[in-house]
Amino acid sequence: MSSLAFVKWLPVSRDMQQRQFPVKAREGHNSCVLNGPDGFKSLVITGGFSDDQGVTVITLQKGLEAHNSNWGWTRLTPRFSDEPTFVYGASLTLLPPALSEEMEKDRFMRLRPGVMKKNVAKAVRFGGFEGGGYSGETNEVWVLTIVDYDYEDDSLDQFAVWEKMETQGTRPKARAYHSATLIHDRYLVIIGGMTQLGSCIEESILDIQTWKWIDLSCEGEPRGRHGHSVVWDKRRDRLVMFGGGSGTDLLRTGTDCNEVWELKMKGINAMHRSPARSQSCSDNDDTMWEWSKIHNNTLSPRNNSDSVNSGDDIDSDGSREGNNHADSSLSPSESLCLGRCHNAMKISPDAVLLMFGGGRPSTNGMLGYDLANDAFLRPNVKGPLPVPRFTGVASFLETEGYILVHGGFNDATGGAVLDMNVLDLAPSLRRHFTGFPLDEDRQSQESVSDEAARNGQYGANPNPRQMSALQRLLLAQLYEAQMNGL
């Protein structure tokens, strides 16, 4: 039901967020959609640059009627568990339901007699920074378990458990702001990320059935990056990587990597069929994975038109564009959606939605990508535009046709965003959304201009004494708006 032809923003009530919702303004946090019992599903928000280490679970009715019911939420304090460290810039990936049930078996069943039903959902967390100032990167693997009980006396119970996993094999480089993509419901592919010494591109695979790291060799690697996104294009047997940035932090160093790459996974299907082969992906040429560039840097001087054209250009690094690959012709403001710490979701077998991102300046823009033709799409966006941001979370509710966006960092105000929005991917159905109370009179935020995107740079924060009186006034107004929860 999801389409990129027409989408609409629905702003969630600021009053509800300020007074009731437990997750306050934050950045670098995680979200993950979990399947629940009896037609319900949950969305988990946790972590980030915050002293709140609780787990917030948003529960909604599953299916097309999700818009017509109130979404509840619970803040859980993890119990019966190891103590996870403060972390930001980590990844959180849903584990397959069958694997969750197999891992759980009869654990926690004797907490109280009279259990009628138990539902278990699990997600795996990798990496992140444990110290301030982009320091203390880790390569630890943790599993978050959300348990729901239904008892004979009609009472309910829900709790969260963190468990540190002991993995086998050679552990990969510690990092944060990487990508983690699950393929074949078994292999978690880790790509890129940030360390204290810079950004890397190192690829690693974790077998989540055996918790073993698998050796992997790749050819034609891109330069190191963080804050990128990767989707599994199952129909074409490849991973597609969008954008990202370089450097050792999110605002003061490096540049945005406004490119699109594909990683051909040679031998992955044979490896999946034969677990004995999964010890190494580099034993022979059949299992060597290969990078190739689909789109050059979309901020190159020639890319300023409003159309997406075909071409046959050869980039300076020898990669070729053309044939089935459309030449990228994005404006500077559109290219920010490929910038560091954007959000990307595969909303259908052939369509990806990219939004926000770009660090300095941040954007509230949106782009689509057609995997079948390797071409960019421009959605028709309605509703009030949210605050520009990057390093927030966005979760795709597939059956329901919504995306829930929370938090992030806004470079203009210099702070985390207290702002939650719902993107309706099927507004033509004219559904009346009641999951959260909405701000019917919310004013739309300004979109980022091409000039601002063209002039943006990573470096020291602007000095107020070097600003004009009008610039200082506008910055003060932005800070006031931030404090009011925009």
mmCIF file of all heavy atoms in Angstrom, residues 89-106:
data_model
loop_
_atom_site.group_PDB
_atom_site.id
_atom_site.type_symbol
_atom_site.label_atom_id
_atom_site.label_comp_id
_atom_site.label_asym_id
_atom_site.label_seq_id
_atom_site.Cartn_x
_atom_site.Cartn_y
_atom_site.Cartn_z
ATOM 1 N N GLY A 89 24.896 6.210 18.747
ATOM 2 C CA GLY A 89 25.430 5.843 17.444
ATOM 3 C C GLY A 89 25.518 4.351 17.217
ATOM 4 O O GLY A 89 26.242 3.901 16.318
ATOM 5 N N ALA A 90 24.793 3.549 18.011
ATOM 6 C CA ALA A 90 24.756 2.099 17.811
ATOM 7 C C ALA A 90 23.686 1.748 16.783
ATOM 8 O O ALA A 90 22.903 2.600 16.347
ATOM 9 C CB ALA A 90 24.481 1.394 19.134
ATOM 10 N N SER A 91 23.629 0.492 16.386
ATOM 11 C CA SER A 91 22.561 -0.015 15.518
ATOM 12 C C SER A 91 21.682 -0.963 16.322
ATOM 13 O O SER A 91 22.145 -1.623 17.259
ATOM 14 C CB SER A 91 23.139 -0.737 14.298
ATOM 15 O OG SER A 91 23.977 -1.806 14.689
ATOM 16 N N LEU A 92 20.395 -1.028 15.981
ATOM 17 C CA LEU A 92 19.443 -1.942 16.616
ATOM 18 C C LEU A 92 18.628 -2.597 15.517
ATOM 19 O O LEU A 92 17.916 -1.907 14.772
ATOM 20 C CB LEU A 92 18.542 -1.180 17.593
ATOM 21 C CG LEU A 92 17.615 -2.027 18.467
ATOM 22 C CD1 LEU A 92 18.434 -2.829 19.479
ATOM 23 C CD2 LEU A 92 16.598 -1.146 19.195
ATOM 24 N N THR A 93 18.727 -3.923 15.394
ATOM 25 C CA THR A 93 18.135 -4.653 14.274
ATOM 26 C C THR A 93 17.238 -5.769 14.791
ATOM 27 O O THR A 93 17.659 -6.566 15.642
ATOM 28 C CB THR A 93 19.240 -5.254 13.382
ATOM 29 O OG1 THR A 93 20.191 -4.243 13.042
ATOM 30 C CG2 THR A 93 18.645 -5.842 12.115
ATOM 31 N N LEU A 94 16.028 -5.851 14.270
ATOM 32 C CA LEU A 94 15.078 -6.885 14.670
ATOM 33 C C LEU A 94 15.604 -8.267 14.309
ATOM 34 O O LEU A 94 16.093 -8.499 13.196
ATOM 35 C CB LEU A 94 13.729 -6.652 13.973
ATOM 36 C CG LEU A 94 12.648 -7.713 14.199
ATOM 37 C CD1 LEU A 94 12.164 -7.679 15.638
ATOM 38 C CD2 LEU A 94 11.489 -7.506 13.231
ATOM 39 N N LEU A 95 15.488 -9.209 15.266
ATOM 40 C CA LEU A 95 15.800 -10.603 14.991
ATOM 41 C C LEU A 95 14.540 -11.321 14.511
ATOM 42 O O LEU A 95 13.432 -10.983 14.935
ATOM 43 C CB LEU A 95 16.343 -11.286 16.246
ATOM 44 C CG LEU A 95 17.722 -10.811 16.724
ATOM 45 C CD1 LEU A 95 18.109 -11.542 18.005
ATOM 46 C CD2 LEU A 95 18.774 -11.039 15.647
ATOM 47 N N PRO A 96 14.676 -12.308 13.641
ATOM 48 C CA PRO A 96 13.502 -13.033 13.128
ATOM 49 C C PRO A 96 12.698 -13.650 14.269
ATOM 50 O O PRO A 96 13.280 -14.162 15.241
ATOM 51 C CB PRO A 96 14.111 -14.101 12.228
ATOM 52 C CG PRO A 96 15.474 -13.593 11.877
ATOM 53 C CD PRO A 96 15.930 -12.805 13.052
ATOM 54 N N PRO A 97 11.374 -13.644 14.187
ATOM 55 C CA PRO A 97 10.541 -14.212 15.256
ATOM 56 C C PRO A 97 10.878 -15.664 15.587
ATOM 57 O O PRO A 97 10.905 -16.045 16.757
ATOM 58 C CB PRO A 97 9.120 -14.079 14.701
ATOM 59 C CG PRO A 97 9.197 -12.935 13.744
ATOM 60 C CD PRO A 97 10.559 -13.007 13.138
ATOM 61 N N ALA A 98 11.142 -16.469 14.571
ATOM 62 C CA ALA A 98 11.455 -17.888 14.819
ATOM 63 C C ALA A 98 12.721 -18.022 15.644
ATOM 64 O O ALA A 98 12.806 -18.847 16.562
ATOM 65 C CB ALA A 98 11.600 -18.633 13.491
ATOM 66 N N LEU A 99 13.726 -17.198 15.357
ATOM 67 C CA LEU A 99 14.963 -17.255 16.116
ATOM 68 C C LEU A 99 14.739 -16.753 17.540
ATOM 69 O O LEU A 99 15.291 -17.307 18.496
ATOM 70 C CB LEU A 99 16.040 -16.418 15.434
ATOM 71 C CG LEU A 99 17.393 -16.346 16.150
ATOM 72 C CD1 LEU A 99 18.015 -17.732 16.273
ATOM 73 C CD2 LEU A 99 18.346 -15.415 15.411
ATOM 74 N N SER A 100 13.899 -15.734 17.708
ATOM 75 C CA SER A 100 13.595 -15.219 19.045
ATOM 76 C C SER A 100 12.962 -16.291 19.911
ATOM 77 O O SER A 100 13.311 -16.467 21.078
ATOM 78 C CB SER A 100 12.671 -14.002 18.933
ATOM 79 O OG SER A 100 13.309 -12.932 18.277
ATOM 80 N N GLU A 101 12.020 -17.047 19.333
ATOM 81 C CA GLU A 101 11.352 -18.099 20.092
ATOM 82 C C GLU A 101 12.329 -19.215 20.443
ATOM 83 O O GLU A 101 12.297 -19.769 21.552
ATOM 84 C CB GLU A 101 10.182 -18.643 19.280
ATOM 85 C CG GLU A 101 9.061 -17.629 19.075
ATOM 86 C CD GLU A 101 7.976 -18.168 18.174
ATOM 87 O OE1 GLU A 101 8.056 -19.361 17.799
ATOM 88 O OE2 GLU A 101 7.049 -17.410 17.838
ATOM 89 N N GLU A 102 13.216 -19.568 19.511
ATOM 90 C CA GLU A 102 14.169 -20.638 19.760
ATOM 91 C C GLU A 102 15.162 -20.232 20.854
ATOM 92 O O GLU A 102 15.519 -21.036 21.722
ATOM 93 C CB GLU A 102 14.927 -20.972 18.469
ATOM 94 C CG GLU A 102 16.027 -22.015 18.627
ATOM 95 C CD GLU A 102 15.506 -23.381 19.043
ATOM 96 O OE1 GLU A 102 14.315 -23.667 18.794
ATOM 97 O OE2 GLU A 102 16.294 -24.161 19.613
ATOM 98 N N MET A 103 15.609 -18.973 20.826
ATOM 99 C CA MET A 103 16.552 -18.503 21.836
ATOM 100 C C MET A 103 15.910 -18.454 23.216
ATOM 101 O O MET A 103 16.553 -18.687 24.233
ATOM 102 C CB MET A 103 17.058 -17.103 21.466
ATOM 103 C CG MET A 103 17.979 -17.053 20.267
ATOM 104 S SD MET A 103 18.395 -15.350 19.825
ATOM 105 C CE MET A 103 19.268 -14.823 21.306
ATOM 106 N N GLU A 104 14.607 -18.156 23.254
ATOM 107 C CA GLU A 104 13.959 -17.911 24.535
ATOM 108 C C GLU A 104 13.567 -19.199 25.252
ATOM 109 O O GLU A 104 13.809 -19.379 26.432
ATOM 110 C CB GLU A 104 12.715 -17.042 24.327
ATOM 111 C CG GLU A 104 12.189 -16.422 25.590
ATOM 112 C CD GLU A 104 13.203 -15.478 26.206
ATOM 113 O OE1 GLU A 104 14.125 -15.017 25.521
ATOM 114 O OE2 GLU A 104 13.063 -15.215 27.407
ATOM 115 N N LYS A 105 12.915 -20.090 24.512
ATOM 116 C CA LYS A 105 12.437 -21.355 25.050
ATOM 117 C C LYS A 105 11.660 -21.113 26.349
ATOM 118 O O LYS A 105 10.661 -20.422 26.362
ATOM 119 C CB LYS A 105 13.586 -22.332 25.223
ATOM 120 C CG LYS A 105 14.202 -22.751 23.886
ATOM 121 C CD LYS A 105 15.286 -23.803 24.060
ATOM 122 C CE LYS A 105 15.832 -24.210 22.701
ATOM 123 N NZ LYS A 105 16.929 -25.185 22.809
ATOM 124 N N ASP A 106 12.103 -21.683 27.452
ATOM 125 C CA ASP A 106 11.324 -21.581 28.692
ATOM 126 C C ASP A 106 11.872 -20.554 29.674
ATOM 127 O O ASP A 106 11.559 -20.578 30.863
ATOM 128 C CB ASP A 106 11.271 -22.943 29.390
ATOM 129 C CG ASP A 106 10.502 -23.966 28.584
ATOM 130 O OD1 ASP A 106 9.567 -23.548 27.879
ATOM 131 O OD2 ASP A 106 10.838 -25.155 28.660
#
